[in-house]
Amino acid sequence: MQIKGIKKGRTIEIFEDIDIPDGQEISLSIEAGGGFWQRLQHFRQELESEEIWIEPDVFDGVRDSSPGREVTL
């Protein structure tokens, strides 16, 4: 489940109703902005901490190596 809300002091106000009883303990994963580079670094840290390794040959042939179209100005 993915929900959105806004932090106000020590409270997080949720924008929509969720089907969880009052008093139910929940766990949150917080994603706060950041650009591509910060998110990439976070992703790499998660892989490293979980000892996940992606073999380089997984990406062989994924990118088109042709020079592409000619651009005229």
Side-chain angles (χ1 to χ4, degrees):
M1 174 187 310
Q2 183 175 2
I3 58 173
K4 290 188 177 187
I6 187 166
K7 177 186 172 288
K8 294 180 177 180
R10 292 182 53 122
T11 303
I12 297 175
E13 181 180 329
I14 298 172
F15 295 148
E16 59 195 70
D17 287 334
I18 55 174
D19 189 22
I20 298 175
D22 287 350
Q24 176 72 42
E25 185 174 319
I26 62 171
S27 175
L28 300 175
S29 174
I30 307 295
E31 293 183 26
F36 172 78
W37 187 248
Q38 289 84 9
R39 290 178 185 249
L40 177 61
Q41 287 178 323
H42 178 71
F43 173 72
R44 288 177 173 168
Q45 288 171 353
E46 283 186 27
L47 290 179
E48 187 174 303
S49 69
E50 296 180 21
E51 298 181 357
I52 297 173
W53 176 253
I54 300 174
E55 296 294 332
D57 62 341
V58 168
F59 300 104
D60 286 350
V62 172
R63 187 169 186 174
D64 185 0
S65 60
S66 65
R69 63 184 174 96
E70 184 177 330
V71 177
T72 57
L73 301 175

